[in-house]
Short mmCIF file of all heavy atoms in Angstrom, two decimals:
data_model
loop_
_atom_site.label_atom_id
_atom_site.label_comp_id
_atom_site.label_asym_id
_atom_site.label_seq_id
_atom_site.Cartn_x
_atom_site.Cartn_y
_atom_site.Cartn_z
N PHE A 74 3.80 34.13 4.42
CA PHE A 74 4.95 34.91 4.03
C PHE A 74 6.16 34.51 4.86
O PHE A 74 6.03 33.99 5.97
CB PHE A 74 4.71 36.43 4.13
CG PHE A 74 4.71 36.98 5.54
CD1 PHE A 74 5.90 37.38 6.14
CD2 PHE A 74 3.54 37.11 6.25
CE1 PHE A 74 5.90 37.89 7.43
CE2 PHE A 74 3.53 37.62 7.53
CZ PHE A 74 4.71 38.02 8.12
N GLN A 89 17.56 47.95 13.09
CA GLN A 89 17.04 47.60 11.76
C GLN A 89 16.12 46.37 11.84
O GLN A 89 15.10 46.33 11.15
CB GLN A 89 18.19 47.31 10.79
CG GLN A 89 18.94 48.55 10.37
CD GLN A 89 20.15 48.21 9.51
OE1 GLN A 89 20.75 47.14 9.66
NE2 GLN A 89 20.51 49.11 8.63
N LEU A 96 7.74 47.21 9.65
CA LEU A 96 7.36 47.50 8.27
C LEU A 96 6.73 46.29 7.57
O LEU A 96 5.71 46.43 6.89
CB LEU A 96 8.56 48.00 7.48
CG LEU A 96 9.09 49.37 7.90
CD1 LEU A 96 10.40 49.69 7.18
CD2 LEU A 96 8.06 50.45 7.65
N CYS A 103 -1.05 43.32 9.56
CA CYS A 103 -1.10 42.44 10.73
C CYS A 103 -1.95 43.07 11.83
O CYS A 103 -1.91 44.28 12.02
CB CYS A 103 0.34 42.25 11.21
SG CYS A 103 0.51 41.47 12.79
N SER A 108 1.40 42.56 16.01
CA SER A 108 2.58 43.31 15.57
C SER A 108 3.30 43.97 16.74
O SER A 108 4.52 44.02 16.77
CB SER A 108 2.21 44.35 14.51
OG SER A 108 1.31 45.29 15.01
N ALA A 119 17.03 40.57 19.09
CA ALA A 119 18.10 41.21 18.31
C ALA A 119 19.13 41.86 19.23
O ALA A 119 20.34 41.76 18.98
CB ALA A 119 17.51 42.23 17.34
N ALA A 153 25.97 33.90 16.09
CA ALA A 153 27.14 33.04 15.95
C ALA A 153 27.62 32.38 17.24
O ALA A 153 28.61 31.68 17.23
CB ALA A 153 28.29 33.87 15.35
N PHE A 176 12.78 37.62 30.08
CA PHE A 176 11.53 37.72 30.82
C PHE A 176 10.45 38.36 29.94
O PHE A 176 9.30 37.91 29.91
CB PHE A 176 11.73 38.54 32.11
CG PHE A 176 10.48 38.68 32.92
CD1 PHE A 176 10.00 37.62 33.68
CD2 PHE A 176 9.77 39.87 32.93
CE1 PHE A 176 8.83 37.74 34.43
CE2 PHE A 176 8.61 40.00 33.67
CZ PHE A 176 8.14 38.94 34.42
N ALA A 180 7.03 36.77 28.35
CA ALA A 180 5.72 37.41 28.57
C ALA A 180 4.96 37.65 27.27
O ALA A 180 3.74 37.51 27.23
CB ALA A 180 5.91 38.73 29.31
N TRP A 185 8.56 29.87 23.19
CA TRP A 185 9.87 30.27 22.70
C TRP A 185 10.90 29.25 23.12
O TRP A 185 10.67 28.43 24.00
CB TRP A 185 10.25 31.68 23.15
CG TRP A 185 10.63 31.82 24.61
CD1 TRP A 185 9.78 31.99 25.66
CD2 TRP A 185 11.94 31.80 25.16
NE1 TRP A 185 10.49 32.09 26.83
CE2 TRP A 185 11.83 31.98 26.55
CE3 TRP A 185 13.21 31.65 24.61
CZ2 TRP A 185 12.93 32.01 27.39
CZ3 TRP A 185 14.31 31.69 25.45
CH2 TRP A 185 14.16 31.87 26.82
N GLY A 186 12.04 29.28 22.46
CA GLY A 186 13.12 28.36 22.77
C GLY A 186 14.32 28.66 21.91
O GLY A 186 14.40 29.72 21.27
N ALA A 204 -5.11 34.56 14.70
CA ALA A 204 -6.18 33.88 13.98
C ALA A 204 -5.69 33.44 12.61
O ALA A 204 -5.06 34.23 11.91
CB ALA A 204 -7.39 34.80 13.84
#
Side-chain angles (χ1 to χ4, degrees):
F74 75 87
Q89 288 174 331
L96 292 173
C103 169
S108 62
F176 180 75
W185 73 276

